[in-house]
Amino acid sequence: MIPQPFNSTRSRPRKRSISPVSIFGIQIANASRSDAIDIMEELVQQSTPAQIFLPNAHTLNLAIADSNYHAVLNRATYCFGDGSGVRIAASMRGVKMKSNLVGTDLIPDFFQATANQGYRYFLLGADPDTIEQAARFAGQHFPGWELAGYHHGYLTSPELRERAIAQIKAARPHVLLVGMGNPIQESWIDQYQPAEVPLAIGVGGLFDHWGGNLKRAPRWVRYFGFEWLQLLCQQPKKWQRYLIGNFTFLFYALMYWKSDRVVQSKFNRRRNP
């Protein structure tokens, strides 16, 4: 049985009225790019810590196998859909996704749309060399935001973890970008996001792009939903994730179609009693 949506007791910021789609029991907000950017800025301005996750097909495959991770995703303030898999699964449920909210596009768009407002950000993730290069890239390309600090993601001991958290708290960023890969980054945010940080976002491989380790696919490739092929060519060791994982996701999308419709119906009744 697929885990049902987690009813968290965590105090959450007010959510916008964005219609979601249930994929494997996880509520994916059907937001346009402009809606997503507006939501992110609203959360930055609130006092209650918020979380945004960007699940793709691989993320959702992992959630099927791990009920704890499934609950972590459903505790987020918002999940935005990343990639063709989410769009295909949503269409199978009768929902056309308004935008493909890939983090490598969404975060730069957010920074550019909200520039020169006095916002600060902190980068957490990747290896020491990559995060330094990513921080340099971000500082050059997003001058309307202030880089509050950065720290690598190899927090292999409680001491390293506490040191990183202390650094984040001292920096007091408005946005914490965490790039440790799934499921580590979402679980880390869920457990350790400092109360001083209004918004934490799981950004996957964003720092590898900013740090020069990965190159974006041409725009036309991204338009047709085949960016994963570009990533596979650059990361052949992840062939199982992209080749086997994509077919596994489609199998799950069919397998859990009925249960998702039940969850969707219950969710809609709660929204419109």
Side-chain angles (χ1 to χ4, degrees):
M1 291 290 291
I2 187 171
Q4 295 301 302
F6 185 87
N7 294 319
S8 174
T9 58
R10 169 189 284 165
S11 175
R12 299 185 182 188
R14 177 181 61 86
K15 285 193 177 185
R16 276 190 170 216
S17 181
I18 299 290
S19 298
V21 57
S22 178
I23 301 178
F24 309 163
I26 295 166
Q27 300 300 326
I28 309 294
N30 188 10
S32 67
R33 188 169 300 275
S34 60
D35 281 337
I37 290 171
D38 288 345
I39 287 168
M40 293 160 77
E41 186 167 24
E42 287 176 4
L43 295 177
V44 163
Q45 296 171 351
Q46 294 186 19
S47 58
T48 305
Q51 309 76 33
I52 288 178
F53 299 150
L54 305 171
N56 56 25
H58 175 63
T59 313
L60 295 169
N61 281 347
L62 293 175
I64 286 287
D66 185 343
S67 61
N68 290 328
Y69 184 49
H70 189 280
V72 166
L73 294 179
N74 267 328
R75 282 198 289 269
T77 312
Y78 287 94
C79 285
F80 295 145
D82 173 350
S84 300
V86 172
R87 285 185 287 171
I88 292 170
S91 68
M92 293 167 62
R93 286 146 180 78
V95 177
K96 181 179 180 180
M97 299 302 286
K98 296 177 181 177
S99 291
N100 181 15
L101 299 176
V102 179
T104 43
D105 294 324
L106 179 61
I107 300 304
D109 288 349
F110 171 55
F111 277 8
Q112 291 164 2
T114 57
N116 303 313
Q117 301 296 317
Y119 296 141
R120 295 156 52 83
Y121 64 98
F122 193 103
L123 310 182
L124 175 66
D127 60 73
D129 290 338
T130 298
I131 198 64
E132 183 176 352
Q133 293 295 326
R136 183 176 296 113
F137 174 94
Q140 293 171 351
H141 286 78
F142 311 114
W145 277 67
E146 180 183 350
L147 175 62
Y150 60 91
H151 195 287
H152 67 80
Y154 287 80
L155 308 180
T156 54
S157 69
E159 293 76 18
L160 278 173
R161 183 186 67 233
E162 292 305 317
R163 190 182 309 164
I165 292 173
Q167 186 177 339
I168 295 166
K169 288 181 176 180
R172 299 188 70 86
H174 295 88
V175 175
L176 171 64
L177 302 181
V178 182
M180 298 177 176
N182 310 127
I184 297 173
Q185 62 191 20
E186 292 85 8
S187 299
W188 195 96
I189 290 170
D190 182 71
Q191 188 169 359
Y192 298 115
Q193 178 185 358
E196 294 85 353
V197 179
L199 177 60
I201 308 174
V203 296
L206 178 65
F207 301 149
D208 281 319
H209 287 281
W210 286 2
N213 297 336
L214 294 176
K215 294 181 180 180
R216 293 301 307 276
R219 186 175 297 274
W220 67 270
V221 174
R222 301 189 329 246
Y223 176 82
F224 287 106
F226 288 99
E227 186 170 14
W228 64 272
L229 281 174
Q230 170 94 355
L231 294 173
L232 175 60
C233 291
Q234 296 179 81
Q235 300 174 307
K237 64 181 180 180
K238 294 185 178 181
W239 67 271
Q240 288 183 309
R241 167 179 169 175
Y242 292 114
L243 298 181
I244 297 177
N246 286 348
F247 287 105
T248 300
F249 177 81
L250 292 175
F251 170 77
Y252 285 146
L254 288 168
M255 182 177 178
Y256 291 109
W257 176 86
K258 184 175 181 179
S259 60
D260 275 334
R261 294 297 292 264
V262 172
V263 171
Q264 187 79 42
S265 177
K266 291 179 179 179
F267 183 79
N268 289 341
R269 286 200 296 270
R270 289 200 300 269
R271 286 169 54 88
N272 302 294

